[in-house]
Amino acid sequence: MRKPSIVWLTLLLVIASILFSSCQPGQITGTFSPETSEPVQTSTTESETAPGLTLDSSTQSEPVDGTTPTQIQPTPTPIVETRLSPEQWREWPVVPELTGREQAIYRLGQELGNDPQSFSKVGDCQAIKDVLMGIYDQPNRYYLTDNDAYLQETIDYFAGSFGRDGQGVRGGFNAAAVINPFLADPEACSAGETPIECEYNIHQPSFVIISLEVWWDGRTVERYEEYMRQIINFYISNGVVPILSTKADNVEGDHRINLATAKLAYEYHIPLWNFWRAVQSMPNKGIDPNRDGFHISYEAWTVRSYTALQALDAVWRGVRDQQTQTVVETEQPENTFDPASILISPDPIEMPAGLNGEILLFSVMQRTGEVLWPQGIYAYNIEDQTLYQILASGYKLEDINTETNTLLVSKDQQLFTSDLSGKNLYEITADLAITSRDASAFWMPDGIHILMLTEDNEANTLWMVNPSDSTRTSLAQGEITGILKPGSDGMIYWYEGTCEPDLPCEDVTLWRLNDGEPEAFAALDRVVFANSGNEYSWIKPSGDTNLILYTRDADQTGQNFTYLPGNRWVDMSWSPSKDQLAILSVTRSEYTGKSSDARIFVVNTNTMISKEYLSFPGLNPSFTWNINHNELLLTSTLLVDQSYQLNLSQLDLGAGTFTPLNEEINFQSADYLTINKLFWIIPITNGGQ
């Protein structure tokens, strides 16, 4: 039931103008400066009894309904501060440790009539249900391992709270906005209510996750703390246990926001969910490299929801069990891969000595929780619809030498050569570099040598390797973030850049080896070369809805360009015939981060005239050309019957028609699945080239 409210905060506000930034840092539309009295701060010094633990009148503000709260005077309970100092927040555990004050706050809330089975969220576009925990209100959309089965009790207990955004969440919300009554929804909130007052009165939560991510130039950390204190004091005075959160990005450059948040959690003796730490092992530290350095990647959404659920579970169990001192594990358990089963049809069989017809060669990846794991390498005969398994779980495809049918495969940081049967593995290195570009090993066009990137303590090293006699030659060393597959001209290209923790790589430059010497080639971070090596292409955004495709000769002359719809390109490849270029583009919502179906374009690189085909649905779309350059094989991931399914389809470029392969070949699981590398080949035993 909704509680009555009064305009209590409005009397304290002097509005100069409204501050309301979007989820993109750096955009400001005015200022908002509430004039308030300084909140009473709890002491940050360690003592046997935490200041304010009894929640007496010195730490309580008037609740939003104007009534006098029931005064609870529990016996002061010693708080043993087991957490590290705020300055050591990077080492704080992902799942928060409890101090004991949470219990007193929770008891006050129960006296005030808060719903023990409700929680709310306060945040911006990265707190909406699509990104943060909404999945847990959708049965069969999530999977819990045996180790995580205990979390189902928490999911069941708080059912109905996960799948709502509430009035405290909106794209663009920040610490100032959520206490601004002019930004409350007039259709849901009473006049003068702030968004957080409105949400409290509607939902009456016992817990609240506060995850305010936005930062922009000009905002001081002192102002952030001022607004956060108002938010924290509001919830504590109304008996709602606040759970603060660190953020994944470091847009401000020195982590001042995360440090300030840790200081507040330490001072108020309230839980901190250290989301920043949870994404440190992810590619690009969980930040989407194709956006603004602020938004997290799609893969990080799962980690965000999972660790937030763990945090909520730990706090709820701590107060539920009436424990006056609750300390959860300070480290997350080691990542263990306990995947859901994968339904594969037809049943894969062992690779025979000889193959007939056109073959699709690919490796499958499966994500469970924070772990993305290779689930084997497969070959599919398009003509007789036979599926073969070349290598089992743990192995990932890197490249194929079509002259000899020899594969490059990896397992963790080991790199091997293998024949198509997968039975003759030969180790090349145990130090293969793992980069976010997923581009660390390729065959050279001579069919003899391998180009590979290894990881050393201080720098990555680029090598030319002859696997027949194990000789290797160092070509370059430094902050190398990935290499490009060499074209028929044998030219070697690689990316170098400065990769700071928590931020996308910056100052990226494409380098090449020219007459044995490294030289800077272009200040571009994502290019695709024609098979001949004589031309290359890249794409730049043009406004919010268009892209510009550029092509240029490798001697840096003869540049052309054309416009294409979309605001993000997801895949691009030259055809074997050189004069065609296929591109997949999407339009991605800045509010939810969701992308449209992929639009397919084939551009004649002589005339720069493009032809568009029907769009292709699914997440993580990609494609490869067939050897005759008249068809594309497209792949993506679909959500079908509450599980993930690999989506494969042939596109006839002449007729413009699709031939779905999902009925002939099916990979399906409750865990997210995707195809890592994809090749469309004709093995040399059957006339392939």
Side-chain angles (χ1 to χ4, degrees):
M1 176 181 295
R2 197 184 197 284
K3 294 182 179 179
S5 66
I6 63 173
V7 187
W8 71 278
L9 185 59
T10 304
L11 299 176
L12 302 176
L13 297 176
V14 177
I15 307 297
S17 58
I18 296 174
L19 172 72
F20 185 42
S21 78
S22 74
C23 269
Q24 291 185 342
Q27 297 186 358
I28 313 175
T29 57
T31 59
F32 166 63
S33 179
E35 301 294 334
T36 64
S37 59
E38 286 294 318
V40 178
Q41 300 180 16
T42 56
S43 172
T44 58
T45 59
E46 294 186 15
S47 61
E48 291 187 355
T49 302
L53 178 63
T54 59
L55 296 175
D56 60 24
S57 59
S58 67
T59 62
Q60 293 183 8
S61 60
E62 183 180 359
V64 296
D65 63 2
T67 61
T68 301
T70 302
Q71 295 295 310
I72 299 178
Q73 300 291 340
T75 302
T77 303
I79 289 180
V80 180
E81 185 53 75
T82 61
R83 290 180 289 188
L84 300 171
S85 70
E87 288 73 21
Q88 296 171 287
W89 64 267
R90 292 177 178 83
E91 301 173 42
W92 285 24
V94 175
V95 179
E97 298 177 341
L98 275 65
T99 65
R101 191 186 189 195
E102 300 87 357
Q103 176 58 234
I105 298 171
Y106 179 77
R107 284 200 299 261
L108 170 63
Q110 298 312 293
E111 288 288 329
L112 294 174
N114 292 345
D115 184 351
Q117 293 185 254
S118 293
F119 75 89
S120 291
K121 297 179 291 183
V122 175
D124 54 34
C125 60
Q126 300 200 107
I128 63 174
K129 60 188 177 184
D130 291 332
V131 180
L132 184 58
M133 296 200 292
I135 191 173
Y136 297 119
D137 260 347
Q138 303 177 55
N140 302 320
R141 282 292 307 279
Y142 61 89
Y143 172 79
L144 298 177
T145 67
D146 291 342
N147 291 336
D148 294 329
Y150 70 96
L151 293 172
Q152 187 61 53
E153 182 183 6
T154 304
I155 293 172
D156 294 339
Y157 188 79
F158 290 102
S161 289
F162 298 102
R164 63 185 301 275
D165 287 332
Q167 299 302 314
V169 173
R170 189 185 305 168
F173 266 6
N174 52 53
V178 299
I179 55 175
N180 183 349
F182 285 85
L183 297 178
D185 183 357
E187 295 185 1
C189 306
S190 299
E193 278 187 328
T194 68
I196 60 172
E197 289 177 285
C198 181
E199 170 63 11
Y200 172 72
N201 285 324
I202 290 173
H203 200 49
Q204 301 179 30
S206 291
F207 307 88
V208 61
I209 296 174
I210 303 172
S211 181
L212 294 161
E213 313 278 335
V214 176
W215 172 262
W216 60 85
D217 291 338
R219 167 53 51 87
T220 65
V221 70
E222 291 78 16
R223 184 59 60 87
Y224 169 79
E225 289 182 4
E226 175 190 346
Y227 295 150
M228 284 292 291
R229 288 185 188 281
Q230 294 183 52
I231 297 168
I232 294 169
N233 285 335
F234 166 76
Y235 280 115
I236 290 177
S237 70
N238 284 281
V240 183
V241 180
I243 303 172
L244 306 188
S245 168
T246 56
K247 60 192 182 77
D249 73 81
N250 184 26
V251 174
E252 65 271 27
D254 59 1
H255 290 297
R256 71 189 75 168
I257 294 297
N258 280 344
L259 175 58
T261 305
K263 287 180 176 178
L264 289 167
Y266 193 94
E267 176 184 332
Y268 280 87
H269 295 279
I270 55 178
L272 178 80
W273 159 41
N274 198 353
F275 176 62
W276 175 89
R277 184 172 183 178
V279 296
Q280 291 311 291
S281 62
M282 298 189 69
N284 211 41
K285 312 295 185 183
I287 298 297
D288 188 335
N290 300 304
R291 302 186 75 185
D292 48 17
F294 160 70
H295 288 87
I296 62 175
S297 64
Y298 176 81
E299 290 78 8
W301 291 8
T302 301
V303 177
R304 185 167 175 78
S305 291
Y306 172 72
T307 54
L309 177 64
Q310 288 182 307
L312 177 64
D313 172 85
V315 177
W316 169 57
R317 290 179 188 277
V319 300
R320 180 198 67 176
D321 296 339
Q322 302 289 307
Q323 295 176 350
T324 58
Q325 178 184 338
T326 301
V327 179
V328 299
E329 292 182 2
T330 59
E331 298 287 346
Q332 284 201 130
E334 289 188 13
N335 286 334
T336 57
F337 188 68
D338 185 13
S341 60
I342 302 178
L343 172 65
I344 304 176
S345 64
D347 291 333
I349 62 175
E350 185 176 331
M351 179 71 77
L355 290 174
N356 296 311
E358 299 182 21
I359 303 296
L360 301 179
L361 190 65
F362 58 95
S363 55
V364 174
M365 306 291 287
Q366 181 180 20
R367 177 173 291 282
T368 296
E370 300 178 43
V371 181
L372 185 65
W373 186 255
Q375 285 289 26
I377 301 174
Y378 298 86
Y380 178 71
N381 190 309
I382 296 177
E383 296 180 7
D384 64 20
Q385 301 178 3
T386 304
L387 180 66
Y388 306 98
Q389 183 163 13
I390 299 174
L391 286 166
S393 173
Y395 288 94
K396 183 175 70 171
L397 183 62
E398 300 289 342
D399 196 14
I400 180 172
N401 181 346
T402 55
E403 298 295 326
T404 62
N405 287 346
T406 307
L407 308 178
L408 278 179
V409 301
S410 62
K411 185 175 184 181
D412 296 324
Q413 289 188 267
Q414 293 176 283
L415 179 68
F416 304 89
T417 61
S418 170
D419 59 22
L420 275 178
S421 71
K423 295 180 179 178
N424 298 295
L425 291 171
Y426 174 77
E427 183 177 287
I428 304 299
T429 184
D431 299 309
L432 188 69
I434 299 175
T435 72
S436 60
R437 295 183 186 273
D438 195 23
S440 296
F442 294 105
W443 284 101
M444 291 295 294
D446 63 9
I448 299 174
H449 294 89
I450 295 170
L451 187 66
M452 73 175 184
L453 187 65
T454 61
E455 182 178 308
D456 301 313
N457 291 331
E458 298 182 356
N460 289 342
T461 304
L462 184 62
W463 300 90
M464 181 76 75
V465 180
N466 187 336
S468 64
D469 58 13
S470 300
T471 58
R472 61 172 65 184
T473 302
S474 175
L475 305 178
Q477 190 174 51
E479 295 179 300
I480 303 175
T481 61
I483 57 182
L484 279 71
K485 183 175 175 62
S488 60
D489 63 349
M491 190 66 72
I492 296 170
Y493 295 88
W494 66 93
Y495 296 103
E496 288 195 25
T498 302
C499 298
E500 298 293 338
D502 324 322
L503 291 174
C505 294
E506 298 178 351
D507 303 322
V508 176
T509 301
L510 181 66
W511 289 71
R512 71 176 178 181
L513 201 65
N514 190 12
D515 293 329
E517 294 296 327
E519 68 172 11
F521 180 75
L524 296 170
D525 64 357
R526 195 177 174 198
V527 305
V528 177
F529 276 85
N531 291 346
S532 65
N534 295 331
E535 291 181 89
Y536 66 101
S537 59
W538 73 98
I539 293 177
K540 293 290 186 181
S542 176
D544 296 331
T545 59
N546 287 294
L547 302 167
I548 306 177
L549 167 67
Y550 296 92
T551 63
R552 183 184 290 174
D553 294 337
D555 61 6
Q556 305 292 39
T557 63
Q559 178 172 303
N560 291 317
F561 71 92
T562 190
Y563 287 87
L564 297 172
N567 60 16
R568 182 186 179 197
W569 69 277
V570 293
D571 202 4
M572 175 167 55
S573 178
W574 293 74
S575 77
S577 67
K578 173 190 169 183
D579 60 356
Q580 292 187 100
L581 189 60
I583 300 104
L584 301 185
S585 75
V586 298
T587 299
R588 187 168 186 176
S589 167
E590 289 298 322
Y591 182 78
T592 66
K594 285 189 173 181
S595 297
S596 66
D597 289 346
R599 300 177 70 171
I600 306 167
F601 301 92
V602 174
V603 178
N604 183 311
T605 55
N606 296 319
T607 64
M608 298 304 288
I609 296 175
S610 64
K611 180 178 180 180
E612 183 173 5
Y613 296 84
L614 293 175
S615 60
F616 186 66
L619 300 172
N620 197 35
S622 63
F623 71 92
T624 189
W625 290 86
N626 75 341
I627 196 169
N628 297 318
H629 61 82
N630 57 2
E631 288 185 276
L632 300 179
L633 192 286
L634 295 113
T635 74
S636 67
T637 304
L638 298 175
L639 187 62
V640 179
D641 297 329
Q642 308 303 317
S643 64
Y644 294 100
Q645 180 184 38
L646 295 183
N647 181 29
L648 295 92
S649 191
Q650 291 175 252
L651 171 59
D652 186 317
L653 298 177
T657 56
F658 285 94
T659 303
L661 300 181
N662 294 351
E663 302 227 349
E664 289 79 29
I665 176 174
N666 181 43
F667 285 73
Q668 196 163 343
S669 174
D671 288 338
Y672 180 77
L673 299 175
T674 188
I675 285 180
N676 170 254
K677 291 286 179 72
L678 175 66
F679 300 92
W680 193 342
I681 66 170
I682 301 177
I684 58 170
T685 54
N686 303 313
Q689 299 179 9

